[in-house]
Coordinates of all heavy atoms in Angstrom, one line a residue:
V1 N 31.0 44.3 -79.3 CA 31.4 44.4 -77.9 C 32.9 44.0 -77.8 O 33.3 42.9 -78.1 CB 30.6 43.4 -77.0 CG1 31.1 43.4 -75.6 CG2 29.1 43.8 -77.1
G2 N 33.7 45.0 -77.3 CA 35.1 44.8 -77.2 C 35.6 44.4 -75.8 O 36.7 44.0 -75.6
W3 N 34.7 44.5 -74.8 CA 35.0 44.1 -73.4 C 33.8 43.9 -72.7 O 32.7 44.3 -73.0 CB 35.9 45.2 -72.8 CG 35.2 46.6 -72.8 CD1 35.3 47.5 -73.8 CD2 34.2 47.1 -71.9 NE1 34.5 48.6 -73.5 CE2 33.8 48.4 -72.4 CE3 33.7 46.7 -70.7 CZ2 32.9 49.2 -71.7 CZ3 32.8 47.5 -70.0 CH2 32.4 48.7 -70.5
I4 N 33.9 43.1 -71.6 CA 32.7 42.8 -70.7 C 33.2 43.1 -69.2 O 34.3 42.6 -68.8 CB 32.2 41.4 -70.8 CG1 31.7 41.1 -72.2 CG2 31.2 41.1 -69.8 CD1 31.4 39.7 -72.5
D5 N 32.4 43.8 -68.5 CA 32.7 44.1 -67.1 C 31.5 43.5 -66.3 O 30.4 44.0 -66.4 CB 32.9 45.6 -66.8 CG 33.3 45.9 -65.4 OD1 33.5 44.9 -64.6 OD2 33.4 47.0 -65.1
S6 N 31.8 42.4 -65.6 CA 30.7 41.8 -64.8 C 30.7 42.4 -63.4 O 31.8 42.5 -62.8 CB 30.8 40.3 -64.8 OG 32.0 39.9 -64.2
K7 N 29.6 42.7 -62.9 CA 29.4 43.3 -61.6 C 28.6 42.4 -60.7 O 27.4 42.1 -61.0 CB 28.7 44.7 -61.7 CG 29.4 45.7 -62.6 CD 30.7 46.2 -61.9 CE 31.3 47.3 -62.7 NZ 32.6 47.6 -62.1
A8 N 29.1 42.0 -59.6 CA 28.4 41.1 -58.7 C 27.5 42.0 -57.7 O 27.7 42.0 -56.5 CB 29.3 40.2 -57.9
L9 N 26.6 42.7 -58.3 CA 25.8 43.6 -57.5 C 24.5 43.9 -58.3 O 24.4 43.6 -59.5 CB 26.5 44.9 -57.2 CG 27.2 45.7 -58.3 CD1 26.3 46.6 -59.0 CD2 28.3 46.5 -57.7
Y10 N 23.5 44.6 -57.7 CA 22.3 45.1 -58.4 C 22.7 46.5 -59.0 O 23.2 47.3 -58.3 CB 21.2 45.2 -57.4 CG 19.9 45.8 -58.0 CD1 19.1 45.0 -58.8 CD2 19.6 47.1 -57.8 CE1 18.0 45.6 -59.4 CE2 18.5 47.7 -58.4 CZ 17.7 46.9 -59.2 OH 16.6 47.4 -59.7
G11 N 22.3 46.7 -60.2 CA 22.6 48.0 -60.8 C 21.6 49.0 -60.5 O 20.7 49.4 -61.4
D12 N 21.6 49.6 -59.3 CA 20.7 50.7 -59.0 C 21.1 52.0 -59.7 O 22.3 52.1 -60.1 CB 20.6 50.9 -57.5 CG 21.9 51.3 -56.9 OD1 22.7 50.4 -56.5 OD2 22.1 52.5 -56.8
L13 N 20.2 52.9 -59.7 CA 20.5 54.2 -60.5 C 21.7 54.9 -59.9 O 22.6 55.4 -60.7 CB 19.3 55.1 -60.5 CG 18.1 54.6 -61.3 CD1 16.9 55.6 -61.1 CD2 18.4 54.5 -62.7
E14 N 21.8 55.1 -58.6 CA 22.9 55.8 -58.0 C 24.2 55.2 -58.3 O 25.2 55.9 -58.7 CB 22.7 56.0 -56.5 CG 23.7 56.8 -55.8 CD 23.4 57.0 -54.4 OE1 22.3 56.8 -53.9 OE2 24.4 57.4 -53.6
T15 N 24.4 53.9 -58.0 CA 25.6 53.2 -58.3 C 26.0 53.2 -59.7 O 27.2 53.5 -60.1 CB 25.5 51.8 -57.8 OG1 25.2 51.8 -56.4 CG2 26.8 51.0 -58.0
H16 N 25.0 53.0 -60.6 CA 25.3 53.0 -62.0 C 25.8 54.4 -62.5 O 26.8 54.4 -63.2 CB 24.0 52.6 -62.8 CG 24.3 52.6 -64.3 ND1 24.9 51.5 -64.9 CD2 24.0 53.5 -65.3 CE1 25.0 51.7 -66.2 NE2 24.4 52.9 -66.4
R17 N 25.1 55.4 -62.1 CA 25.5 56.8 -62.6 C 26.8 57.3 -61.9 O 27.6 57.9 -62.6 CB 24.3 57.7 -62.3 CG 23.1 57.5 -63.1 CD 22.0 58.4 -62.8 NE 20.9 58.2 -63.7 CZ 19.6 58.6 -63.4 NH1 19.4 59.2 -62.3 NH2 18.6 58.3 -64.2
Q18 N 27.0 57.0 -60.7 CA 28.1 57.6 -60.0 C 29.4 56.8 -60.0 O 30.5 57.3 -59.9 CB 27.8 57.9 -58.5 CG 26.7 58.9 -58.3 CD 26.4 59.2 -56.9 OE1 27.0 58.6 -56.0 NE2 25.4 60.0 -56.6
S19 N 29.3 55.5 -60.2 CA 30.5 54.6 -60.1 C 30.7 53.8 -61.4 O 31.7 53.9 -62.1 CB 30.3 53.6 -59.0 OG 31.4 52.8 -58.9
V20 N 29.7 53.0 -61.8 CA 29.8 52.1 -62.9 C 29.9 52.8 -64.3 O 30.8 52.5 -65.1 CB 28.7 51.1 -63.0 CG1 28.7 50.2 -64.2 CG2 28.7 50.3 -61.7
L21 N 29.1 53.8 -64.6 CA 29.1 54.5 -65.9 C 30.4 55.2 -66.1 O 31.0 55.1 -67.2 CB 27.9 55.4 -66.0 CG 27.6 55.9 -67.4 CD1 27.5 54.8 -68.4 CD2 26.3 56.8 -67.4
P22 N 30.9 56.0 -65.1 CA 32.2 56.7 -65.4 C 33.3 55.7 -65.7 O 34.2 55.9 -66.5 CB 32.5 57.4 -64.1 CG 31.1 57.7 -63.5 CD 30.3 56.4 -63.8
Q23 N 33.3 54.5 -65.0 CA 34.3 53.5 -65.2 C 34.1 52.9 -66.6 O 35.1 52.8 -67.4 CB 34.2 52.4 -64.2 CG 35.2 51.3 -64.4 CD 35.0 50.1 -63.4 OE1 33.9 49.8 -63.0 NE2 36.1 49.5 -62.9
A24 N 32.9 52.6 -67.0 CA 32.6 52.1 -68.3 C 33.0 53.1 -69.4 O 33.5 52.7 -70.4 CB 31.1 51.7 -68.4
E25 N 32.7 54.3 -69.2 CA 33.1 55.3 -70.2 C 34.6 55.4 -70.4 O 35.1 55.6 -71.6 CB 32.5 56.7 -69.8 CG 31.0 56.8 -70.0 CD 30.4 58.1 -69.5 OE1 31.0 58.7 -68.7 OE2 29.3 58.4 -70.0
S26 N 35.4 55.2 -69.4 CA 36.8 55.1 -69.6 C 37.2 53.9 -70.4 O 38.2 54.0 -71.2 CB 37.6 55.2 -68.2 OG 37.5 54.0 -67.5
Y27 N 36.6 52.8 -70.2 CA 36.8 51.6 -71.0 C 36.4 51.8 -72.4 O 37.1 51.4 -73.3 CB 36.0 50.4 -70.4 CG 36.4 49.9 -69.1 CD1 35.6 49.0 -68.4 CD2 37.6 50.3 -68.4 CE1 36.0 48.5 -67.2 CE2 37.9 49.8 -67.2 CZ 37.1 48.9 -66.6 OH 37.5 48.4 -65.3
V28 N 35.3 52.5 -72.7 CA 34.9 52.8 -74.0 C 35.9 53.6 -74.8 O 36.3 53.3 -75.9 CB 33.5 53.5 -74.0 CG1 33.2 54.1 -75.4 CG2 32.4 52.5 -73.6
H29 N 36.5 54.6 -74.1 CA 37.6 55.4 -74.7 C 38.8 54.6 -75.0 O 39.5 54.9 -76.0 CB 37.9 56.6 -73.8 CG 36.8 57.6 -73.7 ND1 36.2 58.3 -74.7 CD2 36.2 58.1 -72.6 CE1 35.3 59.1 -74.3 NE2 35.2 59.0 -73.0
R30 N 39.1 53.6 -74.2 CA 40.3 52.8 -74.4 C 40.1 51.6 -75.4 O 41.0 51.3 -76.2 CB 40.9 52.3 -73.1 CG 41.5 53.3 -72.3 CD 42.2 52.7 -71.1 NE 41.4 53.3 -69.9 CZ 41.4 52.8 -68.7 NH1 42.0 51.6 -68.4 NH2 40.7 53.4 -67.8
F31 N 39.0 50.9 -75.2 CA 38.8 49.7 -75.9 C 37.6 49.6 -76.9 O 37.3 48.6 -77.5 CB 38.6 48.5 -74.9 CG 39.6 48.5 -73.8 CD1 39.3 48.8 -72.5 CD2 41.0 48.2 -74.2 CE1 40.3 48.7 -71.5 CE2 42.0 48.2 -73.2 CZ 41.6 48.4 -71.9
G32 N 36.8 50.7 -76.9 CA 35.6 50.7 -77.8 C 34.4 50.2 -77.0 O 34.4 50.1 -75.8
P33 N 33.3 50.0 -77.8 CA 32.0 49.6 -77.2 C 32.2 48.3 -76.3 O 33.0 47.4 -76.6 CB 31.1 49.3 -78.3 CG 31.7 50.1 -79.4 CD 33.2 50.1 -79.2
G34 N 31.4 48.2 -75.2 CA 31.5 47.1 -74.3 C 30.2 46.8 -73.7 O 29.1 47.3 -74.0
M35 N 30.2 45.9 -72.6 CA 29.0 45.4 -72.0 C 29.3 45.4 -70.4 O 30.3 45.1 -70.0 CB 28.7 44.0 -72.4 CG 27.5 43.4 -71.6 SD 27.3 41.6 -72.0 CE 26.9 41.6 -73.7
I36 N 28.2 45.9 -69.7 CA 28.2 45.7 -68.3 C 27.2 44.6 -68.0 O 26.1 44.7 -68.5 CB 27.7 47.0 -67.6 CG1 28.7 48.2 -67.8 CG2 27.5 46.8 -66.1 CD1 30.1 48.0 -67.2
L37 N 27.6 43.7 -67.2 CA 26.7 42.5 -66.8 C 26.5 42.6 -65.3 O 27.4 42.4 -64.6 CB 27.4 41.2 -67.2 CG 26.6 40.0 -66.9 CD1 25.2 39.9 -67.5 CD2 27.4 38.7 -67.3
Y38 N 25.3 42.9 -64.9 CA 24.9 43.0 -63.5 C 24.4 41.6 -63.1 O 23.4 41.1 -63.6 CB 23.8 44.0 -63.3 CG 24.3 45.4 -63.3 CD1 23.9 46.3 -64.4 CD2 25.1 46.0 -62.3 CE1 24.4 47.6 -64.4 CE2 25.6 47.3 -62.4 CZ 25.2 48.1 -63.4 OH 25.6 49.4 -63.5
F39 N 25.0 41.0 -62.1 CA 24.7 39.6 -61.7 C 23.3 39.6 -61.1 O 22.6 38.6 -61.2 CB 25.6 39.1 -60.6 CG 26.9 38.5 -61.1 CD1 27.6 39.1 -62.2 CD2 27.5 37.4 -60.5 CE1 28.8 38.5 -62.6 CE2 28.6 36.9 -60.9 CZ 29.3 37.5 -62.0
F40 N 22.9 40.7 -60.4 CA 21.6 40.6 -59.6 C 20.6 41.6 -60.2 O 19.7 42.1 -59.5 CB 21.9 41.0 -58.1 CG 22.9 40.1 -57.5 CD1 24.2 40.5 -57.3 CD2 22.5 38.8 -57.1 CE1 25.1 39.6 -56.7 CE2 23.4 37.9 -56.5 CZ 24.7 38.3 -56.3
G41 N 20.6 41.8 -61.5 CA 19.6 42.6 -62.1 C 20.0 44.1 -62.1 O 21.0 44.5 -61.6
H42 N 19.1 44.9 -62.6 CA 19.4 46.4 -62.6 C 18.1 47.1 -62.7 O 17.0 46.6 -62.9 CB 20.2 46.7 -63.8 CG 19.7 46.2 -65.1 ND1 18.6 46.7 -65.8 CD2 20.1 45.2 -65.9 CE1 18.4 46.1 -66.9 NE2 19.3 45.1 -67.0
A43 N 18.2 48.4 -62.4 CA 17.0 49.4 -62.5 C 16.5 49.3 -63.9 O 17.2 48.8 -64.8 CB 17.5 50.8 -62.1
P44 N 15.3 49.9 -64.2 CA 14.8 49.9 -65.5 C 15.8 50.4 -66.5 O 16.4 51.5 -66.3 CB 13.6 50.8 -65.4 CG 13.1 50.7 -64.0 CD 14.4 50.5 -63.2
I45 N 16.0 49.7 -67.6 CA 17.0 50.0 -68.6 C 16.9 51.4 -69.2 O 17.8 52.1 -69.5 CB 17.1 48.9 -69.7 CG1 18.4 48.9 -70.4 CG2 15.9 49.1 -70.7 CD1 19.5 48.3 -69.7
S46 N 15.6 51.9 -69.3 CA 15.4 53.2 -69.8 C 15.9 54.3 -68.9 O 16.1 55.5 -69.4 CB 13.9 53.4 -70.0 OG 13.2 53.4 -68.8
L47 N 16.2 54.1 -67.7 CA 16.7 55.1 -66.7 C 18.2 55.0 -66.6 O 18.9 55.9 -66.0 CB 16.1 54.9 -65.3 CG 14.6 55.0 -65.3 CD1 14.1 54.7 -63.9 CD2 14.1 56.3 -65.7
L48 N 18.9 54.0 -67.1 CA 20.3 53.8 -67.0 C 21.0 54.4 -68.2 O 20.5 54.3 -69.3 CB 20.7 52.3 -66.9 CG 20.2 51.6 -65.7 CD1 20.6 50.1 -65.8 CD2 20.7 52.1 -64.4
G49 N 22.1 55.1 -67.9 CA 22.9 55.7 -69.1 C 23.6 54.6 -69.8 O 24.0 53.6 -69.2
D50 N 23.8 54.8 -71.1 CA 24.5 53.8 -71.9 C 25.7 54.3 -72.6 O 26.1 53.8 -73.7 CB 23.5 53.2 -72.9 CG 23.0 54.2 -74.0 OD1 23.4 55.4 -73.9 OD2 22.3 53.8 -74.9
A51 N 26.4 55.3 -72.1 CA 27.6 55.9 -72.7 C 27.4 56.2 -74.2 O 28.2 55.9 -75.0 CB 28.8 54.9 -72.5
K52 N 26.3 56.9 -74.4 CA 26.0 57.4 -75.8 C 25.9 56.3 -76.8 O 26.3 56.4 -77.9 CB 27.0 58.5 -76.2 CG 27.0 59.7 -75.3 CD 28.1 60.7 -75.7 CE 28.1 61.9 -74.8 NZ 28.7 61.6 -73.5
G53 N 25.3 55.2 -76.4 CA 25.1 54.1 -77.3 C 26.2 53.1 -77.4 O 26.1 52.1 -78.1
D54 N 27.3 53.3 -76.7 CA 28.5 52.4 -76.8 C 28.5 51.4 -75.7 O 29.5 50.7 -75.5 CB 29.8 53.2 -76.7 CG 30.0 54.1 -77.9 OD1 29.6 53.6 -79.0 OD2 30.6 55.2 -77.8
L55 N 27.4 51.2 -75.0 CA 27.4 50.3 -73.8 C 26.2 49.4 -73.8 O 25.1 49.9 -73.9 CB 27.5 51.1 -72.5 CG 27.6 50.4 -71.2 CD1 28.9 49.6 -71.2 CD2 27.6 51.4 -70.1
V56 N 26.4 48.1 -73.7 CA 25.3 47.2 -73.6 C 25.1 46.9 -72.1 O 26.1 46.7 -71.4 CB 25.6 45.9 -74.3 CG1 24.5 44.8 -74.0 CG2 25.7 46.1 -75.8
I57 N 23.9 46.9 -71.6 CA 23.7 46.6 -70.1 C 22.8 45.4 -70.1 O 21.7 45.3 -70.7 CB 23.0 47.8 -69.4 CG1 23.9 49.1 -69.5 CG2 22.7 47.5 -68.0 CD1 23.2 50.3 -69.1
A58 N 23.3 44.4 -69.4 CA 22.5 43.1 -69.3 C 22.6 42.6 -67.9 O 23.3 43.0 -67.0 CB 23.2 42.1 -70.3
S59 N 21.7 41.6 -67.6 CA 21.7 40.9 -66.3 C 21.2 39.5 -66.5 O 20.6 39.2 -67.5 CB 20.9 41.7 -65.3 OG 19.5 41.7 -65.6
W60 N 21.3 38.7 -65.5 CA 20.7 37.4 -65.4 C 20.2 37.1 -64.1 O 20.5 37.8 -63.1 CB 21.6 36.3 -65.9 CG 22.8 36.0 -65.1 CD1 22.8 35.6 -63.8 CD2 24.2 36.1 -65.4 NE1 24.0 35.4 -63.3 CE2 24.9 35.7 -64.3 CE3 24.9 36.5 -66.5 CZ2 26.3 35.7 -64.2 CZ3 26.2 36.5 -66.5 CH2 26.9 36.1 -65.4
Q61 N 19.4 36.1 -63.9 CA 18.9 35.7 -62.6 C 19.9 34.8 -62.0 O 20.7 34.1 -62.6 CB 17.5 34.9 -62.8 CG 16.4 35.8 -63.3 CD 15.1 35.0 -63.4 OE1 15.1 33.8 -63.5 NE2 14.0 35.7 -63.4
L62 N 19.8 34.7 -60.7 CA 20.7 33.8 -59.9 C 20.3 32.4 -60.2 O 19.2 32.1 -60.4 CB 20.6 34.0 -58.4 CG 21.2 35.3 -57.8 CD1 20.8 35.4 -56.4 CD2 22.7 35.3 -58.0
P63 N 21.3 31.5 -60.2 CA 21.0 30.1 -60.4 C 20.2 29.6 -59.2 O 20.2 30.2 -58.1 CB 22.4 29.4 -60.5 CG 23.4 30.4 -60.1 CD 22.7 31.8 -60.2
N64 N 19.5 28.5 -59.3 CA 18.8 27.9 -58.2 C 19.6 27.2 -57.2 O 19.1 27.0 -56.1 CB 17.7 26.9 -58.8 CG 16.6 27.7 -59.6 OD1 16.3 28.8 -59.3 ND2 16.1 27.0 -60.6
S65 N 20.8 26.8 -57.5 CA 21.7 26.1 -56.6 C 23.1 26.6 -56.7 O 23.5 27.0 -57.8 CB 21.5 24.6 -56.7 OG 22.0 24.2 -57.9
F66 N 23.9 26.5 -55.6 CA 25.2 26.9 -55.6 C 26.1 25.8 -54.9 O 25.6 25.1 -54.0 CB 25.4 28.2 -54.7 CG 24.7 29.4 -55.3 CD1 23.4 29.6 -55.1 CD2 25.5 30.3 -56.0 CE1 22.8 30.7 -55.6 CE2 24.8 31.4 -56.6 CZ 23.5 31.6 -56.4
L67 N 27.3 25.7 -55.3 CA 28.3 24.9 -54.6 C 29.2 25.7 -53.7 O 29.9 26.6 -54.2 CB 29.2 24.1 -55.6 CG 30.2 23.2 -55.0 CD1 29.6 22.1 -54.2 CD2 31.1 22.6 -56.2
W68 N 29.0 25.6 -52.4 CA 29.8 26.4 -51.5 C 31.2 25.8 -51.4 O 31.5 24.7 -51.7 CB 29.2 26.3 -50.1 CG 27.8 27.0 -50.0 CD1 26.6 26.3 -50.1 CD2 27.6 28.3 -49.9 NE1 25.6 27.3 -50.0 CE2 26.2 28.5 -49.9 CE3 28.3 29.5 -49.8 CZ2 25.5 29.7 -49.8 CZ3 27.7 30.7 -49.7 CH2 26.3 30.8 -49.7
P69 N 32.2 26.7 -51.0 CA 33.6 26.2 -50.9 C 33.8 25.0 -50.0 O 34.7 24.2 -50.1 CB 34.3 27.4 -50.3 CG 33.5 28.6 -50.6 CD 32.1 28.1 -50.7
T70 N 32.8 24.8 -49.0 CA 32.9 23.6 -48.1 C 32.5 22.3 -48.8 O 32.6 21.2 -48.3 CB 32.0 23.8 -46.9 OG1 30.6 23.9 -47.4 CG2 32.4 25.0 -46.1
G71 N 31.9 22.4 -50.0 CA 31.4 21.3 -50.7 C 29.9 21.1 -50.6 O 29.3 20.3 -51.2
A72 N 29.3 21.9 -49.7 CA 27.9 21.8 -49.5 C 27.2 22.5 -50.7 O 27.7 23.4 -51.3 CB 27.5 22.5 -48.2
I73 N 26.0 22.0 -50.9 CA 25.2 22.6 -52.0 C 24.1 23.4 -51.4 O 23.4 23.0 -50.5 CB 24.6 21.5 -52.9 CG1 25.7 20.7 -53.6 CG2 23.6 22.1 -53.9 CD1 25.2 19.5 -54.4
G74 N 24.0 24.7 -51.8 CA 23.0 25.6 -51.3 C 21.9 25.8 -52.4 O 22.1 25.7 -53.6
H75 N 20.7 26.0 -51.9 CA 19.5 26.3 -52.8 C 19.0 27.7 -52.5 O 18.9 28.0 -51.3 CB 18.5 25.2 -52.6 CG 18.9 23.9 -53.0 ND1 19.0 23.4 -54.3 CD2 19.4 22.8 -52.3 CE1 19.5 22.2 -54.4 NE2 19.7 21.8 -53.1
A76 N 18.6 28.4 -53.5 CA 18.1 29.7 -53.4 C 16.6 29.6 -53.0 O 15.8 29.0 -53.7 CB 18.2 30.5 -54.6
K77 N 16.2 30.3 -51.9 CA 14.8 30.3 -51.5 C 14.2 31.6 -52.1 O 13.0 31.6 -52.4 CB 14.7 30.4 -49.9 CG 15.0 29.1 -49.2 CD 15.1 29.2 -47.7 CE 14.0 30.0 -47.1 NZ 14.1 30.0 -45.6
A78 N 14.9 32.6 -52.2 CA 14.5 33.9 -52.8 C 15.6 34.4 -53.6 O 16.7 33.9 -53.5 CB 14.1 34.9 -51.7
P79 N 15.5 35.4 -54.4 CA 16.6 35.8 -55.3 C 17.9 36.1 -54.6 O 18.9 36.0 -55.2 CB 16.0 37.1 -56.0 CG 14.5 36.9 -56.0 CD 14.3 36.1 -54.7
T80 N 17.9 36.6 -53.3 CA 19.1 36.9 -52.7 C 19.4 36.1 -51.4 O 20.3 36.4 -50.7 CB 19.2 38.4 -52.3 OG1 18.1 38.7 -51.5 CG2 19.1 39.2 -53.6
T81 N 18.6 35.1 -51.1 CA 18.7 34.3 -49.9 C 19.2 32.9 -50.3 O 18.5 32.2 -51.0 CB 17.4 34.2 -49.2 OG1 16.9 35.5 -48.9 CG2 17.5 33.5 -47.8
L82 N 20.4 32.5 -49.8 CA 20.9 31.2 -50.0 C 20.9 30.4 -48.8 O 21.2 30.9 -47.7 CB 22.4 31.4 -50.5 CG 22.6 32.3 -51.7 CD1 24.0 32.4 -52.1 CD2 21.8 31.7 -52.9
V83 N 20.5 29.1 -48.9 CA 20.4 28.2 -47.8 C 21.3 27.0 -48.0 O 21.1 26.3 -48.9 CB 18.9 27.8 -47.6 CG1 18.8 26.8 -46.4 CG2 18.0 28.9 -47.5
P84 N 22.4 26.9 -47.2 CA 23.3 25.7 -47.4 C 22.6 24.4 -47.0 O 21.8 24.4 -46.1 CB 24.4 26.0 -46.4 CG 24.3 27.4 -46.1 CD 22.9 27.8 -46.2
T85 N 22.8 23.4 -47.8 CA 22.3 22.1 -47.5 C 23.5 21.1 -47.7 O 24.5 21.5 -48.1 CB 21.2 21.7 -48.5 OG1 21.7 21.8 -49.9 CG2 20.0 22.6 -48.4
T86 N 23.3 19.9 -47.3 CA 24.3 18.9 -47.4 C 24.2 18.2 -48.7 O 23.1 18.2 -49.4 CB 24.3 17.9 -46.3 OG1 23.0 17.2 -46.4 CG2 24.4 18.6 -44.9
K87 N 25.3 17.5 -49.2 CA 25.2 16.8 -50.4 C 24.1 15.7 -50.4 O 23.5 15.3 -51.4 CB 26.6 16.1 -50.7 CG 27.6 17.1 -51.0 CD 29.0 16.4 -51.3 CE 30.1 17.4 -51.5 NZ 31.4 16.8 -51.7
N88 N 23.9 15.1 -49.2 CA 23.0 14.0 -49.0 C 21.5 14.4 -49.1 O 20.6 13.6 -49.2 CB 23.2 13.2 -47.7 CG 24.6 12.6 -47.8 OD1 25.1 12.3 -48.8 ND2 25.2 12.4 -46.6
S89 N 21.2 15.7 -48.9 CA 19.8 16.2 -48.8 C 19.2 16.4 -50.2 O 18.1 16.8 -50.4 CB 19.7 17.5 -48.0 OG 20.4 18.5 -48.7
L90 N 20.0 16.2 -51.3 CA 19.5 16.3 -52.6 C 18.7 15.1 -52.9 O 18.0 14.8 -53.7 CB 20.6 16.6 -53.6 CG 21.4 17.8 -53.4 CD1 22.6 17.9 -54.4 CD2 20.5 19.0 -53.7

């Protein structure tokens, strides 16, 4: 893997095929094989294009808690729902 492009989005088929894959293919031509990392998961890997084997597609789950810019700590109730809490509520 010669480069990593992290995407703060869900890798649905349409976005992957129309936007992400063409961008990734241009990176492959310039820098060689690489990786797309989807922060919020992706469609089934068998349906996503992989730039003829030169692209790794990966994702991870959201963390259970976040530190907001205000200093408050938020906790995830569901994969995409964040609830701010105060430092004292931990």
Side-chain angles (χ1 to χ4, degrees):
V1 173
W3 54 270
I4 298 172
D5 187 1
S6 59
K7 302 290 187 187
L9 51 83
Y10 175 79
D12 64 273
L13 291 176
E14 183 177 342
T15 302
H16 181 78
R17 289 178 180 160
Q18 293 180 3
S19 178
V20 175
L21 192 55
Q23 180 185 35
E25 287 174 338
S26 73
Y27 292 168
V28 168
H29 292 303
R30 285 185 245 159
F31 309 115
M35 177 188 294
I36 298 294
L37 177 61
Y38 286 110
F39 278 40
F40 301 103
H42 52 73
I45 201 77
S46 62
L47 301 177
L48 297 175
D50 66 355
K52 299 178 180 75
D54 290 327
L55 186 62
V56 174
I57 300 169
S59 68
W60 68 61
Q61 293 180 338
L62 286 173
N64 291 329
S65 61
F66 294 83
L67 179 62
W68 294 100
T70 61
I73 296 175
H75 296 280
K77 287 174 44 177
T80 58
T81 305
L82 304 178
V83 181
T85 58
T86 64
K87 291 179 184 178
N88 297 332
S89 66
L90 295 175

